[in-house]
Amino acid sequence: MELHFSEINTPPTPAATVILLRSGEQRLEVLLQKRHSQMAVLGGAYVFPGGKVAPEDHTSALTQRLDAAPEALHQQLSQSDIDLPLATAFYIAGLRELLEESTIWLGASHTLKPLAGGVDAPAQGFLDWLTQHDLSLPASTLVPWSRWITPKLASVTRQRFDTVFFVAQMPHHQEAAHDHQESTATLWVSPRQALTQYWQHEVELAPPQIMTLAHLSRFDTPTAALADARGRPAFLVEPHAEDVEGTRWLCYPGDSAHSVAQQHMPGPSRLAWRNKRFEPVGGLEAFFGDATAVPHAP
């Protein structure tokens, strides 16, 4: 993963990500997938399944299949600058991307076939697939977790994204799989283990995944994490990027260099680009800090 120092003046592209959780032997585990090394965005990094909101995600034919009222989903998203059509498109994109990249369909208790090749196969679009299986869109299974907007001062990508992160429970009797095209490996791991592997240079992670994993490390079970998400608004993170004496820093709400004084996430308030990765002040343990501290967005 490379660091870019150019400024990006284009508006951010809407995208949706699903943080899929399951119960592990000791603590909750999260699904990460390795991006193909040749991908233009975060090639080689481990990420949560997700992708750009497509024009088709706005169509009325898909909106009519939602299992919850669009107005209720809009309210649940709790982002005043996002209008109703885009709010519902975020939910639809999250469900679609999870299916395409991981073969997981949140509205079923078993794997639906054929999914191994994704829904982008010729003559079989997302709406066609839903119609074939007589399915609604289980938007109610997605709980807004956070919203990240890439800063203009670039860091790990030359593109800007406005990404809604949803959290969801892994369905029983399904198995996640990568598509061998956009992603080349699938990993179920506890948040603490993922960050430890990152620190040991075994996996690459981007800042939103790093900070989200640090947050999730405070929870023992998917139930606890989902309860936290349902009990607060999805917090907005607009990182402040700055260069100090040749070091690139990313600062988050609550940091002295950030315009938002209220801390939204537990863990470090800033990361520095060192040793070809982003590191918190204080090393690995700074990701975890007080394991009971889970700040809430106002």
Side-chain angles (χ1 to χ4, degrees), residues 167-189:
V167 65
Q169 175 91 41
M170 174 67 179
H172 295 297
H173 310 300
Q174 289 194 50
E175 293 185 7
H178 48 277
D179 62 9
H180 298 280
Q181 298 177 26
E182 291 189 9
S183 55
T184 59
T186 295
L187 175 67
W188 280 104
V189 64

Side-chain angles (χ1 to χ4, degrees), residues 2-10 12 149-161 207 238-244 246-252 273 278:
E2 298 180 354
L3 190 68
H4 306 291
F5 290 89
S6 58
E7 184 171 337
I8 307 172
N9 294 313
T10 55
I149 300 179
T150 309
K152 288 187 177 181
L153 193 60
S155 56
V156 294
T157 175
R158 292 186 176 92
Q159 300 181 43
R160 295 186 69 205
F161 293 95
E238 296 184 87
H240 169 66
E242 62 179 11
D243 296 317
V244 180
T247 298
R248 169 65 55 85
W249 291 88
L250 291 179
C251 306
Y252 301 102
W273 177 257
F278 283 98

Side-chain angles (χ1 to χ4, degrees), residues 4-27:
H4 306 291
F5 290 89
S6 58
E7 184 171 337
I8 307 172
N9 294 313
T10 55
T13 299
T17 285
V18 179
I19 307 164
L20 198 60
L21 305 177
R22 74 178 187 183
S23 296
E25 292 184 2
Q26 297 181 337
R27 296 175 69 90

Side-chain angles (χ1 to χ4, degrees), residues 55-70:
E56 293 76 17
D57 296 326
H58 292 269
T59 60
S60 60
L62 287 176
T63 303
Q64 291 170 5
R65 288 181 174 267
L66 292 167
D67 71 344

Side-chain angles (χ1 to χ4, degrees), residues 49-269:
K52 298 177 183 177
V53 174
E56 293 76 17
D57 296 326
H58 292 269
T59 60
S60 60
L62 287 176
T63 303
Q64 291 170 5
R65 288 181 174 267
L66 292 167
D67 71 344
E71 294 78 11
L73 297 175
H74 188 207
Q75 182 177 6
Q76 179 179 253
L77 196 58
S78 67
Q79 303 295 312
S80 60
D81 62 321
I82 295 178
D83 61 21
L84 180 63
L86 180 56
T88 55
F90 275 119
Y91 283 87
I92 293 169
L95 293 168
R96 176 182 54 75
E97 287 287 342
L98 183 61
L99 175 69
E100 291 178 2
E101 296 191 357
S102 306
T103 73
I104 296 299
W105 186 245
L106 293 177
S109 59
H110 61 283
T111 301
L112 296 172
K113 300 293 185 181
L115 289 185
V119 297
D120 283 336
Q124 187 182 15
F126 187 40
L127 180 59
D128 294 334
W129 184 86
L130 291 170
T131 302
Q132 174 187 341
H133 293 284
D134 191 25
L135 295 171
S136 62
L137 285 162
S140 61
T141 61
L142 297 178
V143 183
W145 179 264
S146 61
R147 178 187 177 194
W148 287 70
I149 300 179
T150 309
K152 288 187 177 181
L153 193 60
S155 56
V156 294
T157 175
R158 292 186 176 92
Q159 300 181 43
R160 295 186 69 205
F161 293 95
D162 181 348
T163 306
V164 172
F165 284 66
F166 296 100
V167 65
Q169 175 91 41
M170 174 67 179
H172 295 297
H173 310 300
Q174 289 194 50
E175 293 185 7
H178 48 277
D179 62 9
H180 298 280
Q181 298 177 26
E182 291 189 9
S183 55
T184 59
T186 295
L187 175 67
W188 280 104
V189 64
S190 75
R192 179 178 284 269
Q193 289 173 326
L195 289 170
T196 300
Q197 290 179 25
Y198 169 74
W199 198 254
Q200 295 171 346
H201 293 282
E202 296 175 2
V203 301
E204 291 187 4
L205 297 170
Q209 281 71 33
I210 292 170
M211 296 299 291
T212 300
L213 288 166
H215 191 168
L216 287 169
S217 71
R218 272 69 180 174
F219 302 100
D220 290 330
T221 65
T223 300
L226 286 163
D228 175 79
R230 292 190 178 101
R232 58 168 173 80
F235 51 80
L236 172 63
V237 182
E238 296 184 87
H240 169 66
E242 62 179 11
D243 296 317
V244 180
E245 298 180 353
T247 298
R248 169 65 55 85
W249 291 88
L250 291 179
C251 306
Y252 301 102
D255 188 84
S256 59
H258 200 281
S259 59
V260 177
Q262 174 69 39
Q263 184 180 5
H264 293 345
M265 303 170 287
S269 66

